[in-house]
């Protein structure tokens, strides 16, 4: 699968979201971190802002829900028109039902695991998801250091997905930048969220191109 880059608007200027979206015309997705101050110790934005962003950009929106009770809230993001909606496995009470509901409402369904959560218990859910998100930092904040301890799990997840011949994307999120993207790509990730590495750069579109070529080359080597 071609490498995809999903810049996280967590590191963008929230007062100028339409401009910040326009600054990355080469992004495959816009990654939107929804945090509720309960599931993670940070509060960001919710459905009204996602609805406004959807009107302001043609780039598909990738909603990463770091919230309690995603079973209740996730369908509304799919209904609003997000192209992808990801829920955290440990926050969902009924992950199968919620993933099915996201798909029924026309979005891609993603399941996210924190750094300390193993992937193996979710192997049988592969057919229910379009994307598996492996967090490479503890969720909650941008600008954290990439956790190399997740690399073996990325390799194991890649093996599980390949063995089931599933066309499930493998996303990594947290601390992804020029120093780390090659390791993650070699391990088998194919969708890369990058917040500070893109929006902290002088030229965000150029930063995406550099990351894309690094990841493409590294995944070819793997
Ligand atoms: O989900 C997230 C944090 O919980 C963000 O998507 C992620 O941290 C992106 O920021 P950076 O690339 O700066 O690490
Ligand atoms: Fe995220």
């Amino acid at each position: 699968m071609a490498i995809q880059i999903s810049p996280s608007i967590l590191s963008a200027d929230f007062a100028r979201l339409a401009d910040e979206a326009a600054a990355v015309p080469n992004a495959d997705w816009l990654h939107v971190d929804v945090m509720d101050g309960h599931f993670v110790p940070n509060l960001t934005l919710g459905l009204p802002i996602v609805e406004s962003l959807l009107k302001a950009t043609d780039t598909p929106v990738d909603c990463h829900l770091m919230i309690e009770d995603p079973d209740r809230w996730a369908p509304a993001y799919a209904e609003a028109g997000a192209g992808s909606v990801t829920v955290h496995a440990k926050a969902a009470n009924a992950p199968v039902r919620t993933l099915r509901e996201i798909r029924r409402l026309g979005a891609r369904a993603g399941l996210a695991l924190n750094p300390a959560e193993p992937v193996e218990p979710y192997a049988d859910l592969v057919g229910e998801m379009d994307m598996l998100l492996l967090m490479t930092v503890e969720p909650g904040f941008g600008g954290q250091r990439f956790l190399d301890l997740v690399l073996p799990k990325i390799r194991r997840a890649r093996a599980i997905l390949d063995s089931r011949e599933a066309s499930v994307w493998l996303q990594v999120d947290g601390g992804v930048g020029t120093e780390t993207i090659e390791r993650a790509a070699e391990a088998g990730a194919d969708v890369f969220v990058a917040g500070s590495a893109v929006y902290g750069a002088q030229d965000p579109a150029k930063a995406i191109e550099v990351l894309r070529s690094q990841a493409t080359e590294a995944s070819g080597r793997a």
Side-chain angles (χ1 to χ4, degrees):
M1 216 230 10
I3 295 297
Q4 299 184 72
I5 309 289
S6 185
S8 167
I9 60 156
L10 186 58
S11 298
D13 180 349
F14 279 11
R16 300 174 42 251
L17 273 188
D19 295 340
E20 296 283 60
V24 290
N26 53 344
D28 298 286
W29 297 87
L30 285 173
H31 182 86
V32 178
D33 291 302
V34 177
M35 304 186 189
D36 66 353
H38 294 275
F39 180 70
V40 288
N42 194 7
L43 185 64
T44 55
L45 52 84
L47 192 57
I49 291 179
V50 170
E51 286 170 338
S52 295
L53 181 63
L54 284 163
K55 286 188 208 131
T57 182
D58 291 332
T59 305
V61 169
D62 162 28
C63 287
H64 176 195
L65 304 185
M66 284 161 277
I67 59 173
E68 288 184 355
D69 205 2
D71 313 86
R72 175 174 176 193
W73 301 110
Y77 289 84
E79 217 161 11
S84 176
V85 180
T86 297
V87 298
H88 272 258
K90 76 173 186 182
N93 288 315
V96 173
R97 186 172 66 220
T98 299
L99 293 167
R100 287 185 179 182
E101 190 62 7
I102 292 168
R103 281 178 160 179
R104 190 184 70 77
L105 292 165
R108 296 178 60 89
L111 191 75
L113 300 177
N114 282 350
E117 289 177 90
V119 64
E120 287 75 10
Y122 299 97
D124 289 335
L125 262 60
V126 159
E128 303 292 337
M129 64 183 91
D130 299 299
M131 185 166 79
L132 177 64
L133 163 54
L134 299 183
M135 292 302 301
T136 41
V137 297
E138 292 289 2
F141 301 93
Q144 301 182 75
R145 258 178 93 94
F146 181 91
L147 292 170
D148 279 298
L149 59 84
V150 182
L151 288 169
K153 182 167 64 175
I154 299 172
R155 285 189 206 100
R156 293 198 305 276
R158 170 50 59 205
I160 288 169
L161 298 180
D162 287 352
S163 74
R164 301 199 174 216
E165 291 174 19
S167 55
V168 176
W169 298 348
L170 184 51
Q171 185 179 63
V172 285
D173 182 9
V176 174
T178 53
E179 299 291 312
T180 54
I181 196 166
E182 294 180 6
R183 301 206 281 285
E186 272 169 8
D190 50 20
V191 185
F192 300 86
V193 177
S196 42
V198 170
Y199 281 110
Q202 284 277 352
D203 181 344
K206 174 79 187 153
I208 289 175
E209 267 336 292
V210 171
L211 291 170
R212 192 191 300 284
S213 65
Q214 279 186 289
T216 302
E217 211 172 291
S219 75
R221 278 198 301 270

